[in-house]
């Protein structure tokens, strides 16, 4: 979900980025395609760190990418953080912009399988705009055009 070990520790991921890299390399050796999931908006992670994750993934020769929005699910630790104002969700605009940047750093050969998540309405605490997937996808498309970006434009 992130290339940053402090973030992975904060979300109790149970492994570091080196373990992820090793798993991807081992899987690639078998010939299986590798699809990576990234969550944007993790607690404490900056825009710069999210772009660094994109750059590190670009160097790993992955085959697919699923981008997820971090949203708050009722009854989770993140819900408690959100209720105590220790976590603030990204705005729809912020999310669209970072997705555009992420795509620009993702090599053209990588198949983009997802650009946002699908929260269940009864479980979702925030952000409410996460339920408007069509609007989010439209905004991402508009921002790509406005910023003259496309997938892989910044990838090596």
């Amino acid at each position: 979900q992130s290339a940053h070990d402090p973030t992975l520790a904060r979300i109790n991921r149970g492994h570091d980025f080196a373990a992820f890299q090793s798993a991807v390399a081992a899987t690639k050796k078998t010939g299986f395609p590798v699809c990576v999931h990234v969550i944007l908006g993790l607690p404490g992670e900056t825009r710069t760190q999210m772009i660094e994750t994109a750059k590190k993934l670009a160097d790993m020769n992955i085959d697919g990418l699923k981008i997820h929005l971090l949203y708050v699910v009722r009854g989770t630790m993140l819900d408690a953080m959100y209720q105590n104002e220790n976590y603030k969700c990204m705005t729809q605009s912020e999310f669209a912009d970072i997705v555009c940047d992420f795509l620009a750093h993702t090599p053209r050969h990588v198949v983009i399988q997802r650009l946002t998540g699908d929260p269940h309405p009864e479980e979702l605490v925030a952000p409410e705009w996460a339920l408007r997937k069509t609007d989010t996808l439209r905004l991402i498309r508009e921002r790509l055009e406005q910023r003259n970006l496309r997938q892989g434009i910044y990838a090596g």
Side-chain angles (χ1 to χ4, degrees), residues 79-98:
D79 185 10
M81 289 175 63
Y82 179 76
Q83 299 305 331
N84 292 326
E85 299 182 2
N86 293 321
Y87 175 72
K88 183 178 185 261
C89 298
M90 283 194 288
T91 66
Q92 190 177 35
S93 180
E94 290 168 332
F95 180 74
D97 279 334
I98 195 67

Side-chain angles (χ1 to χ4, degrees), residues 38-131:
V38 174
I39 299 177
L40 301 179
L42 291 167
E45 196 149 289
T46 66
R47 179 184 187 91
T48 299
Q49 288 173 308
M50 290 181 248
I51 298 305
E52 288 171 357
T53 293
K55 290 176 181 178
K56 288 180 180 183
L57 292 176
D59 292 337
M60 293 180 66
N61 193 31
I62 62 171
D63 302 290
L65 176 64
K66 291 186 178 186
I67 298 174
H68 300 268
L69 159 70
L70 182 64
Y71 52 82
V72 181
V73 174
R74 195 171 321 286
T76 62
M77 289 176 57
L78 187 60
D79 185 10
M81 289 175 63
Y82 179 76
Q83 299 305 331
N84 292 326
E85 299 182 2
N86 293 321
Y87 175 72
K88 183 178 185 261
C89 298
M90 283 194 288
T91 66
Q92 190 177 35
S93 180
E94 290 168 332
F95 180 74
D97 279 334
I98 195 67
V99 167
C100 292
D101 292 331
F102 213 95
L103 291 172
H105 286 90
T106 300
R108 289 184 182 102
H109 76 272
V110 176
V111 176
I112 306 302
Q113 297 183 11
R114 174 177 295 232
L115 292 176
T116 188
D118 295 302
H120 191 282
E122 293 176 14
E123 295 178 342
L124 181 68
V125 174
E128 66 81 26
W129 61 262
L131 296 173

